[in-house]
Amino acid sequence: MTEMQCVLDAQAKLAECPRWDEQTQTLYFVDIDAFKLHAFSIDSYSIETRQFDEEIGCFSLDNNGGFIAAFRSGVYRFTDFNAPLTPYWKATYDQKTTRFNDGRCDLKGRFLAGTMYSPKDAFKGALYQFENGEASVLDQAAWTSNGLAFSPDGKIMYYSDTPNHIVYQFDYDVQTGSATNKRTFIEFPRGNGRPDGAAVDSEGNYWSALYQGQRVVKISPQGEILAEYPVPATYPTMVAFGGPDMKTLFVSTCRIAQTEEELETFPQAGGIFALETDTKGLIEPRFAG
């Protein structure tokens, strides 16, 4: 595929957090506004869906099997796709205005997840880190936490504030989990897409889905845009590398924000799209506990 193709016409309200399981060749993703987690088998082209009672913003696979996931009410673990939820951390924020959004694990298996503040009139979104049953806050200065990713050696952390159009870099200590020296990595001009979910490839390039920008951008570690890839949807939400050789870029998209006119142009919005790249992605770290 030299152009972005729809591999699953999911018709999701808000598809997010595509995550590749290299052990089972499965692409997982959530539909936040529909309270669903999906498991899409590339080989059999089959999909399994789990319905929850609230928004599931993001998740990671667990070293011990199953998942850790961040919901509106807090963080939970479940031992397999259909297993009961086990509470890990109860939300301390106001659940009426705040929910979890984007997240993933670092190289040591800590789970990081950021929140979004729905009124978007104050920078109350925070980035949390979870390890050994404890939570800490790494940053609290965003409207909508997004774009969390790490350099291949884990020493640089990326984190975007989507409505503010900025992707930040931090120095990240893999051993201690501390994030310091926050600075602007790239700022996008208004009116041409906002940095949403992201992934880093094996060469250290940062791939960002530009929400309302109808494209994915590949950015060098120095902050230079190297390439842009059109997406047949107005609202790309996140990217993930996967496939047998880890060179397939999967892109999740949003349907609920599309206007009727946009849906006529992009009828597969809300689907999962894919692009074959020349770059190999990174195996996603799993939660250590």
Side-chain angles (χ1 to χ4, degrees):
M1 291 176 286
T2 57
E3 296 183 352
M4 204 78 67
Q5 301 289 332
C6 184
V7 293
L8 179 65
D9 190 6
Q11 301 280 299
K13 292 181 179 180
L14 178 55
E16 273 276 16
C17 198
R19 187 128 300 157
W20 181 253
D21 182 353
E22 78 286 357
Q23 297 178 9
T24 63
Q25 298 291 291
T26 301
L27 181 72
Y28 294 96
F29 65 97
V30 302
D31 186 346
I32 297 179
D33 285 357
F35 306 173
K36 293 178 179 179
L37 172 64
H38 299 286
F40 176 48
S41 172
I42 302 299
D43 292 338
S44 64
Y45 203 79
S46 60
I47 187 166
E48 185 178 2
T49 299
R50 178 167 181 182
Q51 180 73 56
F52 296 103
D53 296 327
E54 59 179 297
E55 298 96 335
I56 173 173
C58 59
F59 67 93
S60 281
L61 299 172
D62 195 308
N63 265 334
N64 296 316
F67 307 81
I68 183 168
F71 293 78
R72 181 178 288 273
S73 63
V75 177
Y76 299 82
R77 297 174 82 175
F78 43 113
T79 55
D80 60 49
F81 192 80
N82 293 302
L85 301 183
T86 301
Y88 184 88
W89 179 82
K90 184 178 179 179
T92 56
Y93 50 72
D94 182 357
Q95 295 178 37
K96 294 179 181 178
T97 60
T98 305
R99 66 162 173 81
F100 275 108
N101 193 51
D102 181 83
R104 65 173 8 110
C105 286
D106 69 10
L107 289 182
K108 284 291 185 180
R110 303 178 188 92
F111 182 53
L112 283 72
T115 58
M116 61 174 289
Y117 181 64
S118 297
K120 293 185 174 63
D121 57 6
F123 294 98
K124 293 185 178 181
L127 178 61
Y128 292 82
Q129 182 186 86
F130 300 96
E131 181 183 23
N132 298 324
E134 301 292 330
S136 56
V137 177
L138 297 185
D139 188 73
Q140 186 155 11
W143 284 349
T144 302
S145 299
N146 253 317
L148 183 68
F150 293 92
S151 60
D153 63 6
K155 294 181 178 180
I156 298 294
M157 183 181 81
Y158 297 91
Y159 176 56
S160 70
D161 182 5
T162 300
N164 209 25
H165 291 72
I166 296 176
V167 181
Y168 298 100
Q169 273 185 338
F170 293 75
D171 294 329
Y172 193 80
D173 189 318
V174 180
Q175 297 305 315
T176 65
S178 65
T180 58
N181 190 24
K182 181 180 181 179
R183 66 265 188 193
T184 296
F185 171 58
I186 188 170
E187 182 172 359
F188 292 90
R190 267 57 174 173
N192 197 26
R194 295 165 275 170
D196 206 314
V200 170
D201 64 29
S202 59
E203 299 174 1
N205 300 304
Y206 182 85
W207 297 64
S208 176
L210 292 188
Y211 189 82
Q212 207 171 8
Q214 199 193 324
R215 68 196 191 283
V216 169
V217 292
K218 176 184 178 182
I219 309 167
S220 75
Q222 293 73 40
E224 176 189 1
I225 295 179
L226 302 176
E228 301 191 7
Y229 303 91
V231 180
T234 309
Y235 302 92
T237 58
M238 192 173 179
V239 299
F241 283 94
D245 57 3
M246 292 299 294
K247 289 185 176 181
T248 302
L249 185 75
F250 294 102
V251 184
S252 57
T253 61
C254 173
R255 185 175 184 84
I256 198 169
Q258 300 268 172
T259 65
E260 290 186 9
E261 183 178 353
E262 287 170 336
L263 284 175
E264 290 180 3
T265 305
F266 303 120
Q268 294 175 315
I272 303 296
F273 295 82
L275 175 74
E276 297 302 328
T277 72
D278 295 328
T279 307
K280 194 171 185 178
L282 301 169
I283 299 294
E284 193 72 28
R286 297 179 183 234
F287 183 57

